[in-house]
Amino acid sequence: QKEVEQNSGPLSVPEGAIASLNCTYSDRGSQSFFWYRQYSGKSPELIMSIYSNGDKEDGRFTAQLNKASQYVSLLIRDSQPSDSATYLCAVGGTSGTYKYIFGTGTRLKVLA
Amino acid sequence: SQTIHQWPATLVQPVGSPLSLECTVEGTSNPNLYWYRQAAGRGLQLLFYSVGIGQISSEVPQNLSASRPQDRQFILSSKKLLLSDSGFYLCAWSRGIAGGPGEQFFGPGTRLTVL
């Protein structure tokens, strides 16, 4: 069973701080990696995608990928109360298919 | 730009009744299409995915079925709903990149309650 693991949280950070979210995956053949934000009662919203080792920055968000360690992370700088949500890690291309495996999500709380 | 539609937004159905949820994508051609279910407080469970018209892969044995009658239309059905079918149903689309799965985008979802 291919898996994607995340700490369920909640992760609480003060407003303006850096939030660090982590994810590990089991399938070494995975090809693509994504972070989604999901507000309560809403559908997931794609915020970052990363396909190769290293860092990728987009505004206040930085995704980091380490394929050797099978580890993906998301950093949120200058966290805002509006960032409070559940963050889902997703891995694509498991078993050489067009499937995606999702973690159960980390709940982030940004305290004003 | 691409848009994905799902309807209805909410649905309350009695046990044993049939189900039909529809999803359509605009602004792209030959997308990969997906149906997920998210139970309350749980992660996303992949139910079905399709890489082309008439091509359906089922991930979980259950009383649900899926069909793709047109390139950008994906339908989730059941002949008889169970209580355990309650949940948040999400349709998604993606396009492959360099032979692998690219970014995946979700529709607004259908919240199904089976009573």
Side-chain angles (χ1 to χ4, degrees), chain A residues 32 36 38 43 49 93 98 100, chain B residues 34 38 59 94 101-104 107:
Chain A
S32 49
Y36 290 82
Q38 187 175 25
S43 64
S49 59
Y98 284 92
Y100 301 76
Chain B
Y34 305 80
Q38 188 175 36
E59 292 299 304
S94 75
E103 294 178 338
Q104 184 178 63

Side-chain angles (χ1 to χ4, degrees), chain A residues 29-42:
Chain A
S30 300
Q31 300 170 304
S32 49
F33 307 86
F34 309 92
W35 284 99
Y36 290 82
R37 177 175 62 198
Q38 187 175 25
Y39 293 112
S40 180
K42 301 295 185 182

Side-chain angles (χ1 to χ4, degrees), chain A residues 29-94:
Chain A
S30 300
Q31 300 170 304
S32 49
F33 307 86
F34 309 92
W35 284 99
Y36 290 82
R37 177 175 62 198
Q38 187 175 25
Y39 293 112
S40 180
K42 301 295 185 182
S43 64
E45 173 192 9
L46 179 67
I47 53 173
M48 289 292 289
S49 59
I50 187 165
Y51 301 96
S52 55
N53 282 328
D55 294 0
K56 179 181 177 183
E57 185 174 321
D58 183 359
R60 295 187 296 113
F61 300 101
T62 299
Q64 299 173 317
L65 174 61
N66 184 325
K67 289 187 176 182
S69 301
Q70 296 174 246
Y71 178 89
V72 191
S73 65
L74 178 71
L75 300 177
I76 306 174
R77 290 181 298 280
D78 189 23
S79 295
Q80 301 297 309
S82 59
D83 294 326
S84 298
T86 297
Y87 288 79
L88 304 175
C89 173
V91 173
T94 57

Side-chain angles (χ1 to χ4, degrees), chain B residues 6 21 36-37 47 64 76 85 87-91 109-110 112:
Chain B
Q6 276 187 256
L21 302 180
Y36 293 88
R37 179 170 62 201
L47 302 175
L64 300 172
L76 182 69
D85 291 324
F88 192 35
Y89 286 81
L90 292 156
C91 181
T110 295
L112 172 66

